[in-house]
Amino acid sequence: MKDFPIAVFDSGLGGISVLRELRKHMPQENFLYFGDSANAPYGSRSTEEIRRLTLQCAQQLFAQGCKALVVACNTATSAAITALRERYPEKIIIGIEPALKLAVERHPHGKILVMATEATLREQKFAALMEKYADDCKICKCPCPALVEFVERGELHGARLTACLREELQSSLAPSPDAVVLGCTHFPFLRQAIREVVGDVPELLDGADGTAKETRRRLAEAGLLREGLQGSISIRNSLPSPEILILSERLLHADA
Ligand code: DGL
């Protein structure tokens, strides 16, 4: 069982930003990454659709045999983590959520911008998180519906991306935020472009490191950490195209 892979799931390629952190924290593990790019973006879909797609992908991953599932997608976590845990009560399932807690701890009483998909920001899970911290900080929700597709196309720089970022962020940038939470796993790949638009002041934070630590903790608790040799990474995608796998590899090794 220790040699079974850790499955990592996202609506598309964004979860590779989490896979990179997982590998950093647990290089000896075997990982099976699955991106549902054929159905991306999830963020503009209804909660029911996101839940159905997520459960379908999870079923396939569990059927292949994996010792844990990391839902490396804020949108799928918000809409489906409860349903997943109900359906697979005996499995180790870890989700990701916008790193608002971290941002509030690091910038008490500050202004915090949360960039995420429309679905993540409208779900009850985020409302509960926001309510918890609203007294300590000024929190601005910033839906960024168009950004996911830039990453899915491998367009991580350039004038079109900058224009899109300016349009989506401009109404929230004065006064400058103290922190910007990258509340979608696609966004860390756009870190450089986001930095150019938000300026030098805000700290850019995401939830990948916390998710990787939590995964390690859960596996250790269950006695399922793999020991010894360097593990492997296998990447699959619901789009039957070699290009998407090439892009996935590029993102896995990107600097951002
Ligand atoms: N990567 C996903 C997230 O973290 C969302 C992408 C999508 O809209 O499909 O929210």
Side-chain angles (χ1 to χ4, degrees):
M1 184 81 166
K2 285 184 179 178
D3 287 337
F4 281 25
I6 300 170
V8 183
F9 162 71
D10 179 46
S11 61
L13 306 181
I16 294 172
S17 65
V18 182
L19 175 62
R20 296 191 313 186
E21 282 306 311
L22 288 161
R23 182 182 54 175
K24 233 185 259 170
H25 285 268
M26 294 170 285
Q28 76 289 356
E29 294 293 343
N30 297 316
F31 293 100
L32 167 58
Y33 183 86
F34 183 75
D36 190 15
S37 294
N39 293 304
Y42 279 18
S44 43
R45 292 177 179 275
S46 71
T47 306
E48 290 67 34
E49 270 183 305
I50 299 167
R51 200 170 290 150
R52 180 180 58 76
L53 290 167
T54 305
L55 286 168
Q56 199 174 295
C57 293
Q59 186 186 2
Q60 285 169 21
L61 288 164
F62 283 132
Q64 285 166 43
C66 57
K67 63 181 179 182
L69 171 68
V70 178
V71 182
C73 175
N74 293 267
T75 307
T77 299
S78 324
I81 199 90
T82 307
L84 273 172
R85 290 187 174 134
E86 275 168 15
R87 184 167 298 181
Y88 301 101
E90 75 291 356
K91 301 282 189 193
I92 298 177
I93 301 174
I94 296 102
I96 187 166
E97 64 179 18
L100 191 53
K101 179 172 182 275
L102 180 65
V104 173
E105 280 166 8
R106 295 177 63 89
H107 301 277
H109 312 300
K111 174 180 171 185
I112 296 169
L113 213 72
V114 183
M115 296 171 65
T117 67
E118 290 159 305
T120 297
L121 295 176
R122 79 164 177 247
E123 286 297 327
Q124 176 51 32
K125 207 164 185 300
F126 186 74
L129 194 64
M130 194 158 155
E131 200 181 299
K132 206 163 157 188
Y133 299 111
D135 290 345
D136 305 323
C137 275
K138 178 172 169 40
I139 302 167
C140 306
K141 292 203 268 186
C142 211
C144 299
L147 293 184
V148 168
E149 282 166 282
F150 277 89
V151 178
E152 291 292 309
R153 286 196 298 271
E155 192 175 337
L156 310 184
H157 307 276
R160 279 205 315 176
L161 173 60
T162 308
C164 174
L165 276 164
R166 281 198 207 290
E167 197 181 311
E168 291 187 335
L169 298 179
Q170 72 183 2
S171 61
S172 317
L173 291 178
S176 175
D178 299 287
V180 175
V181 173
L182 308 181
C184 167
T185 55
H186 283 68
F187 298 169
F189 292 115
L190 305 176
R191 201 172 264 270
Q192 241 176 293
I194 293 170
R195 173 61 76 204
E196 277 168 32
V197 171
V198 301
D200 295 336
V201 175
E203 186 176 21
L204 305 186
L205 297 165
D206 67 69
D209 179 66
T211 301
K213 284 183 179 144
E214 176 62 7
T215 305
R216 194 177 197 293
R217 190 191 69 75
R218 293 283 304 277
L219 287 170
E221 187 180 72
L224 285 177
L225 280 176
R226 185 169 185 261
E227 285 135 33
L229 304 171
Q230 177 81 21
S232 64
I233 294 183
S234 157
I235 297 185
R236 299 191 197 152
N237 198 287
S238 55
L239 270 186
S241 88
E243 287 79 16
I244 201 85
L245 297 179
I246 293 168
L247 178 54
S248 301
E249 287 291 334
R250 191 183 127 206
L251 292 173
L252 184 61
H253 299 104
D255 290 338

